[in-house]
Amino acid sequence: MTLARRLKEAYPDRPFIISTTTITGQALARERMPFADAVIYFPLDWTFCVRRAMNAVRPSVVLILETEIWPNFLREARRQKVPVLFLSGRISDSIVWRDTRAISARSVFSCSPF
């Protein structure tokens, strides 16, 4: 939580939005990050959902702290020129190959400018 608090303190005029994928994550984020301007659910990784969420939030940067890799989200971030940073991501074969289209790690990460 130190990084999150430091970012909010360094950029107090910028909205700080936390997204989670579970009810438990929502509760923890609200409890542990009362300084966040909003806590929202991460959109389903369908292009129209991702695009709508990105247009509503309009992030200047996205920090990913978990191992979830959402290809459509990363593609939309790249399309909108939003930098994406993976701060503690781990990749396993099951994550890369879980999609029936067998998305390769190279194609997924080509969507991130870093």
Side-chain angles (χ1 to χ4, degrees):
M1 301 307 146
T2 305
L3 175 61
R5 187 175 302 282
R6 285 185 181 174
L7 285 170
K8 184 58 182 171
E9 289 171 358
Y11 304 99
D13 297 333
R14 304 297 301 254
F16 190 80
I17 300 171
I18 304 292
S19 69
T20 68
T21 58
T22 66
I23 293 170
T24 303
Q26 287 281 305
L28 283 172
R30 292 175 196 282
E31 175 188 320
R32 295 181 181 175
M33 296 189 211
F35 54 88
D37 295 293
V39 178
I40 63 172
Y41 280 101
F42 194 85
L44 294 173
D45 197 42
W46 296 332
T47 302
F48 73 94
C49 293
V50 170
R51 189 165 290 155
R52 186 172 182 185
M54 293 282 282
N55 289 337
V57 174
R58 297 179 42 215
S60 55
V61 66
V62 173
L63 306 176
I64 296 181
L65 302 175
E66 295 295 331
T67 59
E68 296 295 326
I69 297 172
W70 304 100
N72 289 320
F73 177 81
L74 294 174
R75 284 187 195 101
E76 186 60 24
R78 182 175 189 181
R79 190 183 77 75
Q80 292 190 20
K81 296 182 172 71
V82 176
V84 176
L85 302 171
F86 290 86
L87 300 181
S88 65
R90 291 169 289 155
I91 302 172
S92 69
D93 289 340
S94 63
I95 291 170
V96 173
W97 298 107
R98 74 175 175 208
D99 193 307
T100 56
R101 292 170 288 162
I103 298 168
S104 71
R106 175 183 242 183
S107 69
V108 169
F109 288 108
S110 70
C111 297
S112 177
F114 297 98

